Amino acid sequence: MALVIDASVGLKWLLAEHDSAVAEALAVSEEELLVPDFWLNEACNVLWLQVRRNVFSAAEAQEGLALLRAQAEPTPTASLRLHDVALEIALAVSHSPYDTMYVAFAIAMGAEKLVMADQRFAAAIRRHPDPALARMPMLLGEWGAAHGV
């Protein structure tokens, strides 16, 4: 089963956060993990913030970006035309299109689930009137519980 993961999950591979061990288990699992190219945009911003907060050095941030890139090869999205779908979903659930781009990507890739760590985002998508979309979010902890992690 192909799973789309958002940046909140991937960044747990680098940051010591709640559910980091679950994110690491997902990374080494047999799951096919899909990430859009804009995933690295979000990751870069978080890595930059970690440097500004003196959590990471510049070299650690650059190494982290390289590790993220090596862990999951980003899929180019320019030809997928995700913006219209993302905006439609965002309007339906009253949530930021910045996040719903991941849902649009999951739809375009034919992924069954979108694994995320953001509970507000998951709750918003679960309110979508289309039952297939409402079932798409999977919190990282739910993936872990289903796999005994």
Side-chain angles (χ1 to χ4, degrees):
M1 164 174 60
L3 301 174
V4 170
I5 59 169
D6 76 357
S8 68
V9 172
L11 285 162
K12 289 180 182 293
W13 298 332
L14 305 175
L15 304 171
E17 295 182 340
H18 175 72
D19 281 346
S20 287
V22 178
E24 290 172 20
L26 176 59
V28 298
S29 72
E30 296 296 316
E31 305 281 8
E32 178 186 3
L33 302 181
L34 303 173
V35 295
D37 53 7
F38 55 82
W39 184 75
L40 289 175
N41 299 348
E42 191 171 355
C44 279
N45 192 59
V46 172
L47 292 169
W48 172 78
L49 286 172
Q50 298 306 306
V51 172
R52 288 199 44 144
R53 294 176 180 154
N54 294 317
V55 175
F56 285 170
S57 68
E60 288 170 326
Q62 291 166 333
E63 181 180 326
L65 181 60
L67 289 170
L68 290 175
R69 191 177 284 122
Q71 185 65 42
E73 182 66 32
T75 299
T77 60
S79 66
L80 298 178
R81 303 183 56 88
L82 303 177
H83 297 94
D84 292 332
V85 174
L87 181 58
E88 183 178 321
I89 294 167
L91 294 169
V93 299
S94 189
H95 194 86
S96 167
Y98 187 77
D99 287 337
T100 63
M101 285 286 288
Y102 285 99
V103 180
F105 176 74
I107 293 166
M109 298 304 293
E112 187 176 324
K113 294 288 183 183
L114 166 59
V115 182
M116 61 186 70
D118 184 338
Q119 292 183 3
R120 285 184 53 241
F121 180 27
I125 300 303
R126 287 176 175 159
R127 290 190 305 268
H128 196 281
D130 179 338
L133 284 181
R135 287 189 301 270
M136 189 171 281
M138 174 182 276
L139 289 167
L140 180 58
E142 294 168 348
W143 181 90
H147 292 85
V149 179

